[in-house]
Amino acid sequence: MTFSTDNKYDSKEKVQVVGRYGLRSQVFFLGFLSIVAAGMVLHFARGVVMPLVVAWLISYIFKPMIRTLERKKIPPVLSITAFIAVFLGLCLLALSFLYRRLVPFANAFPSYYDKLLLLVQEFGKTNDIPTELLLEFDWGKRLTAWLITLPGTAISLVSNLFLMIVFLVFILLGSPTSSDKLNRAFSPKTSVRVQQIIDSISKQIGRYLTTAVVISAMTGIAVWMALKLIGVDFSVNWGVLAFLLNFIPYIGSILASIPPILVALVKFYPDFTPAIITAFALLSIQVGIGNLLAPKVMGDALDINPIVVLVSLLFWGWLWGGGGAVLAVPIAVVIKIVCENIPSLHPVAIFMSSK
């Protein structure tokens, strides 16, 4: 009895093909499980991981200043101590200021909400528009309960602030010795190349984060001054909200504009002119700073695919809530900058780009 050699070789090739695809499927499955496991760890450990990420991002703002002072023969420990003390003092002053502003707004919100409901009912009756569904969706009670508990979260914010400061100190103290470690770990040529890549990444990230903070601060100050001139209540609160949400592209400016417009509508009703002026002023600020100034100042750092921004917002928003949504775009930009400076990861940066 004889067997065909062709059938024997075909069976071997089939086994090899099945084995190859089976190995790929196993690698893909293990990679998927690793991503899910990492996401769950980041989600449940957000109380520790999020301050660490914030400290890591802020360190890129302080590192250039510390290196400049180090070249002027000022010890890094002294400069780090001075910067941390000033930064901690400013953060505590900001939290105290916000706490004093949030309490009056939380107390006044129920009356504003009742006036808004009456305005909606009157507008519906006048224009014969059904408003029952809108009134049944009583989001005001949930928001009122959230605002009442919001000042109480100041203690947790302070604890997270001190945890972030601890992480920031250790990150900054460990930075000056990185070049010495690279020289001991690699050959002279490789260590120089790695150090150049690290310096380029740090410089670009620091420039982007500093510019983003400055532009967001300009947006918040402009919103506060415009609303103050118009006479909208709690203008400082809306300026701070515009500063925070300016880190979220596309939807951040919209979300920051809705509350002051509604407050102006309720306060000056039946005169709609202040609400229209408020909407026009906020639109002018967002278009002028966000669409004209920011791209010229930040350059290619803002060249991110909108789909990447959307996925980043959904992912980090699910992991860490509102704080994750604020950090989503800076994290995406940092990943893009890192991929641009590492040749093997350059295709990832191209896919993340909108060009």
Side-chain angles (χ1 to χ4, degrees):
M1 185 175 180
T2 59
F3 295 93
S4 174
T5 57
D6 293 338
N7 292 335
K8 182 166 59 176
Y9 286 124
D10 289 343
S11 62
K12 288 183 179 180
E13 291 180 358
K14 290 180 181 179
V15 171
Q16 291 177 356
V17 170
V18 172
R20 186 162 56 249
Y21 280 103
L23 180 62
R24 289 181 180 178
S25 62
Q26 290 176 4
V27 172
F28 175 79
F29 183 69
L30 290 176
F32 177 76
L33 289 180
S34 300
I35 294 174
V36 173
M40 296 302 294
V41 170
L42 291 174
H43 177 67
F44 289 108
R46 60 184 179 272
V48 177
V49 179
M50 191 160 64
L52 177 60
V53 173
V54 174
W56 172 63
L57 292 174
I58 293 177
S59 67
Y60 286 103
I61 300 176
F62 287 134
K63 283 178 182 179
M65 296 182 286
I66 293 173
R67 290 176 181 174
T68 302
L69 294 177
E70 187 178 4
R71 287 193 292 266
K72 296 181 180 180
K73 308 301 181 182
I74 297 178
V77 176
L78 183 61
S79 59
I80 291 172
T81 303
F83 282 126
I84 292 298
V86 173
F87 179 70
L88 179 60
L90 291 176
C91 289
L92 291 176
L93 287 176
L95 288 176
S96 176
F97 178 78
L98 289 176
Y99 180 82
R100 293 196 302 268
R101 294 287 177 175
L102 283 174
V103 172
F105 176 72
N107 295 330
F109 176 77
S111 62
Y112 275 94
Y113 181 67
D114 293 338
K115 292 179 182 178
L116 181 62
L117 292 181
L118 293 176
L119 190 152
V120 171
Q121 290 177 347
E122 184 176 347
F123 181 80
K125 291 179 180 179
T126 304
N127 297 276
D128 196 18
I129 299 175
T131 59
E132 290 78 9
L133 182 61
L134 181 62
L135 295 177
E136 288 179 0
F137 186 68
D138 193 6
W139 54 268
K141 291 183 179 179
R142 298 179 181 179
L143 191 56
T144 302
W146 180 74
L147 288 173
I148 292 174
T149 59
L150 188 59
T153 59
I155 298 176
S156 62
L157 289 176
V158 171
S159 63
N160 289 332
L161 173 63
F162 280 103
L163 183 60
M164 184 194 68
I165 293 295
V166 171
F167 288 142
L168 183 60
V169 169
F170 280 98
I171 293 173
L172 294 176
L173 288 176
S175 298
T177 61
S178 59
S179 59
D180 298 332
K181 292 181 180 179
L182 288 176
N183 293 329
R184 293 197 301 267
F186 301 102
S187 63
K189 184 178 180 180
T190 304
S191 63
V192 170
R193 175 57 180 162
V194 173
Q195 187 63 52
Q196 289 176 350
I197 294 175
I198 294 175
D199 292 340
S200 177
I201 292 173
S202 300
K203 184 178 179 180
Q204 293 181 49
I205 293 175
R207 183 169 61 246
Y208 162 74
L209 292 175
T210 303
T211 308
V213 171
V214 171
I215 289 178
S216 297
M218 291 173 58
T219 303
I221 293 173
V223 169
W224 164 57
M225 294 179 63
L227 297 180
K228 186 72 174 178
L229 291 175
I230 297 172
V232 180
D233 294 339
F234 309 107
S235 57
V236 175
N237 298 37
W238 311 132
V240 174
L241 185 66
F243 166 76
L244 294 175
L245 296 183
N246 193 65
F247 290 97
I248 306 176
Y250 309 121
I251 63 173
S253 58
I254 298 175
L255 295 177
S257 302
I258 292 176
I261 293 175
L262 292 178
V263 170
L265 186 64
V266 170
K267 179 181 179 180
F268 297 102
Y269 182 79
D271 186 6
F272 293 101
T273 303
I276 296 174
I277 295 175
T278 300
F280 179 76
L282 295 177
L283 178 63
S284 301
I285 293 171
Q286 297 293 346
V287 171
I289 297 179
N291 295 338
L292 298 179
L293 179 62
K296 291 182 180 179
V297 176
M298 292 188 178
D300 293 336
L302 285 179
D303 180 28
I304 298 183
N305 195 312
I307 298 178
V308 175
V309 174
L310 177 61
V311 173
S312 183
L313 287 173
L314 293 175
F315 178 73
W316 294 107
W318 169 75
L319 280 179
W320 296 338
V326 173
L327 295 173
V329 175
I331 291 175
V333 172
V334 168
I335 294 174
K336 178 174 174 288
I337 291 174
V338 172
C339 294
E340 285 176 343
N341 288 272
I342 299 177
S344 60
L345 297 178
H346 192 67
V348 178
I350 295 176
F351 281 110
M352 294 181 67
S353 175
S354 62
K355 292 182 180 179

